[in-house]
Amino acid sequence: GAGVSQSPRYKVAKRGQDVALRCDPISGHVSLFWYQQALGQGPEFLTYFQNEAQLDKSGLPSDRFFAERPEGSVSTLKIQRTQQEDSAVYLCASSLSQNNEQFFGPGTRLTVL
Amino acid sequence: GQQLNQSPQSMFIQEGEDVSMNCTSSSIFNTWLWYKQDPGEGPVLLIALYKAGELTSNGRLTAQFGITRKDSFLNISASIPSDVGIYFCAGQGNDYKLSFGAGTTVTVRA
């Protein structure tokens, strides 16, 4: 079966542009997570959805970051007015429920010039 | 910021050697996980540990959950070229959040 997919795989944005990153979780997975991975570091938690409800957004670094999952399946992470420090790989993960194994997508590498 | 201290940061190995890496934390975790990440891909789970003192194997991989619940190690025996990559430890507390170490980069010495 298909794993977690993310698009685009690479995104280059000029500073100040808005970007939208998409995640298609594994079908039937209730839980969806977004992580940010800076170069040479491990992933860091951004936000968590259970179905369409965003239960935890404590890891979002600023109010320029916004995530949604309106129908409880596909999720979009939006970054407004991108800054150079937003450059990172953004990973999406999904799991059957919140305490089951999280399966990661390949990530979107965002470069802000 | 990350609360896990993973070491070594990088290592060079020769094919056939055993490899060992570890992770320590200032916090107690209920679950320890070890992932491998290849370039351009997301992390893939290798081993999960759920109980203090647990020793678990998966093929040539062996990992242990420290008794204090603040540390874990991963051993790879008889390394092969495809073992190259970045290995991450991750801890999970009472909630769903994973806290990752900074990774150990494994490279095969020519």
Side-chain angles (χ1 to χ4, degrees), chain B residues 38-54:
Chain B
D38 291 327
E41 300 296 329
V44 174
L45 183 65
L46 299 174
I47 287 185
L49 302 152
Y50 301 104
K51 189 176 170 183
E54 179 182 354

Side-chain angles (χ1 to χ4, degrees), chain A residues 55-109:
Chain A
L55 299 186
D56 187 338
K57 50 183 181 179
S58 62
L60 296 178
S62 78
D63 58 8
R64 295 185 295 103
F65 287 70
F66 171 77
E68 60 183 6
R69 194 186 185 197
E71 296 178 1
S73 178
V74 171
S75 177
T76 304
L77 176 67
K78 297 179 180 178
I79 309 173
Q80 297 176 323
R81 304 181 304 281
T82 52
Q83 303 294 315
Q84 282 190 320
E85 62 263 27
D86 299 335
S87 296
V89 174
Y90 291 85
L91 294 163
C92 174
S94 71
S95 63
L96 275 173
S97 67
Q98 67 179 33
N99 289 322
N100 287 105
E101 177 184 349
Q102 296 180 27
F103 293 86
F104 284 83
T108 294
R109 180 177 295 278

Side-chain angles (χ1 to χ4, degrees), chain B residues 3 6 13 16 21 35 43 49-50 52-53 58-59 66-67 69 74 76-78 88 90 96 98 102 104 109:
Chain B
Q3 49 185 297
Q6 187 171 348
I13 60 171
M21 60 194 78
Y35 288 84
L49 302 152
Y50 301 104
N58 178 8
I67 293 175
R69 295 167 61 195
L74 174 71
I76 307 172
S77 62
F88 290 99
Y96 38 79
L98 297 180
T104 295
R109 187 185 294 127

